[in-house]
Amino acid sequence: MNFIEEKIIEKGNIDKLTLRFPPEPNGYLHIGHAKSICLNFGLAEKYNRPCNLRFDDTNPITEDTNFVNSIIEDIEWLGYKPANIFYTSDYFEFLYDCAVTLIKKGLAYVDDSSSEEIANLKGTPTSPGKDSPYKSRTVEENLDLFNRMRLGEFKEGTKILRANIDMTSPNMILRDPVLYRIIEKTHHRTGDTWKIYPMYDFAHPLSDYKEGITDSLCTLEFEVHRPLYMWVLENCDLSNSLPEETEFARLNIDYTVMSKRKLKRLVEENYVDGWDDPRMPTISGLRRRGYTPESIRNFCDIVGITKKESVISYLLLEECLRK
């Protein structure tokens, strides 16, 4: 039993356990994602509880239906069946209403600053940031501007919605993070209905809440984001019980690229013959190379779930296939 499973059992809510796997449809899943898939779907399977597949489709610039289909195929090939398939775009109206709630409470404001100006005002880990000159806008002005952002009256990059938290916080994530930005591109599901799209740190906790997720399992790089996760949930006037985030170490394998951004470069610059090239560490690439679902699931089981970052030998993955 790993520490996450022990924590869930100690809370005594196994009969209410609801999990999710929330990939971005901007590329194929790789072996690192398999660890999270096996953790979430495996726990749900063990206790006969639901685990949803939710596509975090909040950036139409990078998303594609082809990626959606490949993710569904990879999860089913590994032997798991999602209880439901959802999309963050299913909740766009709910997310917008939550943003309006924050504005009415004085906890969000529309900022006209450029990305460079925002970066300059944010400060450093050792020096506090400075308030934006647009932070003093009235609630009425912010509501009007945010509505006009939704209607498409402003160009991309000219306005954003930011949380009004604390520009002097030692946690850089809490220094008035961006909640919404304007993106002038057709969405693969909602078309041109929306002109503004929520940031992951805003959409993620609210989507978890909307689906009744009890435990949001994330990799360690999101540990510093957890205070913002809870801030969003605690300030949007939500009535039901709130999900709880727990972080675990991501999978690192020696001699293996585990960055989707870098894998994307290999594909786009034609170093490989697509995302499912057998040389790629994607699940579909491993499938073409001859790996079986059982070998990958066994590998993830042996690696285990911990809080400590480590690098696993590629030889272990090969040994799991031999067995």
Side-chain angles (χ1 to χ4, degrees), residues 276-296:
D276 63 347
D277 187 303
R279 294 167 292 182
M280 292 278 275
T282 55
I283 294 174
S284 55
L286 291 168
R287 180 163 66 241
R288 288 189 62 196
R289 200 185 310 172
Y291 279 84
T292 63
E294 294 78 15
S295 66
I296 294 176

Side-chain angles (χ1 to χ4, degrees), residues 21-26 29 33 53-57 71 75 260:
F21 174 62
E24 297 175 69
N26 59 3
L29 299 179
H33 293 111
L53 168 60
R54 181 176 71 240
F55 291 99
D56 176 42
D57 55 344
I71 290 170
I75 291 173
K260 194 191 291 184

